[in-house]
Amino acid sequence: MPQLGSTVFTRRDDIFTQEKRVDVFSSYQPAGLMNRLMGHNMMRKDCDAHMAERVAMFPSVSPRTVRDIWRAKFQVHGDRILDELAGSGHADLVKAFALPLSAECLKDITGLTNMRYQDMDAWSQAMIDGIANYTGNKEIEARCHAATAGIDAAIDDMIPVLRKHPDASILSVLLASGQPIDSIRANIKLAISGGQNEPRDAIAGTVWALLTHPEQLELVREGKAKWIDVFEEYARWIAPIQMSPRRVAKPWSYGGVDFEPDDRVFFMFGSANRDEACFGDPDRFDITRDTSKSIAFGAGPHYCAGAFASRAMVADVALPGIFKRLKGLRLDRSEPVRIGGWAFRGLLNLPVQWDAG
């Protein structure tokens, strides 16, 4: 695609096999937007360098930590937000629930509890816009720089607190691991850039999918499907992460295309998850389908480290809470639902009504 200066991989099996070829399709992109704007984080490293930082972070986002610590905290945030919301009878569910829940949970996970949830969301979005700014828009870049400066200030404020009172948060765990401060800052920003928008978009998008496919919601209510089935199918259907870039590290030929060093490749997860060769009737939202071939969280060594936390937040807390507390939940047809983003994709709004009485 000349407009992007890149070759795009769109088929599921191509991405599934070639994403693992880090000797060819490298995440190391020294001149890439993410490195330049957010610092050199583990997502832009390969092999031992990537694994060292991933292992250091793992104790804060492991399945056990999510189960034993974060899930209960997620539930507290979800219950509180729904308590405040339930009596109103209408809302934009993106702004009123998905955004604050994701941000409050991420404050706990990162250790940046000194931030406002509004800043967590705004700074995450500014970084996301920045690293997808392949057209070089200066205003987008400036917003990204302002966001990273705000995060650095929040980290500086919390370092002495967490050194004195360590916990399971990413910042605390990375400080205890002895990671260099520049790596800690870069990986906190990485966690914020993806850890805010992806659960936010999955919560709002999954609610919208169920409201527009009531027969699917009925399957859950009848006990014929589980909330985790809903989450996994939505993540396949509209993958919150649609694209991941790679740099070609050495001459390579694949699929009739010859690649040269420093060529750019985009792995299109959103397309892969609707590959007709792997999913029957792939454009249909169907929570009973087998999603085992979905690569919504990646397929190789860069598989999303926050996947377990995201599943708990959306499938264990957000979805059952929303449909239990907001009786008669339905779309507000006076305003259209808007969807946006290409590297990261999700609902921009979700106007709904419910029976407040």
Side-chain angles (χ1 to χ4, degrees):
M1 294 191 69
Q3 299 90 335
L4 298 174
S6 175
T7 299
V8 297
F9 278 61
T10 60
R11 291 191 292 250
R12 186 265 178 194
D13 288 350
D14 292 338
I15 296 173
F16 184 78
T17 58
Q18 297 306 297
E19 189 185 9
K20 299 170 184 176
R21 292 299 308 262
V22 296
D23 59 321
V24 178
F25 300 111
S26 174
S27 294
Y28 178 57
Q29 302 167 39
L33 286 171
M34 182 176 281
N35 279 14
R36 184 158 55 85
L37 296 172
M38 292 168 51
H40 196 183
N41 59 56
M42 67 178 181
M43 192 173 180
R44 290 294 175 260
K45 298 179 181 180
D46 288 319
C47 302
D48 292 346
H50 166 79
M51 189 54 62
E53 295 183 13
R54 190 180 185 92
V55 168
M57 184 185 288
F58 183 73
S60 66
V61 291
S62 70
R64 176 177 293 181
T65 305
V66 171
R67 181 195 66 201
D68 294 346
I69 297 176
W70 301 132
R71 189 190 178 286
K73 290 182 178 291
F74 295 170
Q75 191 69 59
V76 170
H77 292 310
D79 290 345
R80 173 180 53 78
I81 295 168
L82 283 171
D83 284 344
E84 297 169 355
L85 185 61
S88 64
H90 63 90
D92 175 350
L93 216 58
V94 172
K95 293 181 180 178
F97 183 80
L99 185 159
L101 176 62
S102 182
E104 293 290 2
C105 295
L106 190 57
K107 285 167 57 178
D108 287 336
I109 293 173
T110 59
L112 300 184
T113 53
N114 54 336
M115 294 172 62
R116 301 186 314 146
Y117 79 80
Q118 294 92 337
D119 291 331
M120 179 68 80
D121 186 79
W123 291 347
S124 172
Q125 192 63 53
M127 289 191 293
I128 287 167
D129 293 342
I131 63 177
N133 182 29
Y134 290 97
T135 59
N137 184 301
K138 294 298 182 183
E139 291 183 5
I140 293 175
E141 184 176 342
R143 286 197 297 271
C144 185
H145 284 309
T148 58
I151 294 167
D152 281 334
I155 290 172
D156 290 340
D157 286 346
M158 289 304 299
I159 285 175
V161 176
L162 291 172
R163 287 199 185 279
K164 187 175 182 180
H165 304 287
D167 59 20
S169 69
I170 293 174
L171 179 54
S172 183
V173 166
L174 291 183
L175 287 170
S177 75
Q179 290 279 314
I181 188 61
D182 286 348
S183 293
I184 293 175
R185 292 184 189 279
N187 283 313
I188 290 286
K189 291 168 189 171
L190 171 64
I192 292 173
S193 68
Q196 168 60 13
N197 74 299
E198 292 158 28
R200 178 198 68 199
D201 293 350
I203 292 167
T206 306
V207 172
W208 171 72
L210 289 172
L211 293 180
T212 54
H213 298 79
E215 77 287 353
Q216 301 293 308
L217 177 58
E218 195 60 28
L219 292 174
V220 181
R221 288 176 166 159
E222 292 175 352
K224 296 177 180 178
K226 299 178 181 178
W227 291 115
I228 189 62
D229 301 324
V230 180
F231 171 76
E232 297 291 356
E233 170 61 355
Y234 177 78
R236 180 207 66 83
W237 191 54
I238 302 182
I241 307 174
Q242 292 271 310
M243 180 278 289
S244 185
R246 296 292 189 272
R247 178 185 61 87
V248 176
K250 66 181 183 182
W252 189 251
S253 295
Y254 184 80
V257 178
D258 296 327
F259 296 97
E260 296 296 333
D262 293 326
D263 283 352
R264 188 164 61 188
V265 164
F266 289 160
F267 290 142
M268 306 300 292
F269 298 132
S271 172
N273 280 343
R274 294 199 182 196
D275 187 339
E276 297 88 343
C278 297
F279 304 100
D281 195 5
D283 295 338
R284 181 167 53 90
F285 179 71
D286 177 7
I287 65 174
T288 66
R289 80 163 70 241
D290 179 2
T291 58
S292 60
K293 287 193 173 183
S294 170
I295 52 175
F297 289 102
H302 287 274
Y303 183 86
C304 178
F308 303 109
S310 183
R311 289 185 174 101
M313 192 189 310
V314 181
D316 294 346
V317 174
L319 296 180
I322 287 170
F323 285 96
K324 180 179 179 181
R325 294 293 306 281
L326 306 183
K327 304 295 185 183
L329 186 66
R330 56 198 180 272
L331 291 176
D332 182 347
R333 300 291 182 177
S334 66
E335 181 182 352
V337 171
R338 293 173 289 115
I339 301 176
W342 73 277
F344 302 89
R345 188 162 181 80
L347 267 65
L348 304 177
N349 69 323
L350 180 57
V352 294
Q353 298 174 330
W354 61 92
D355 304 328

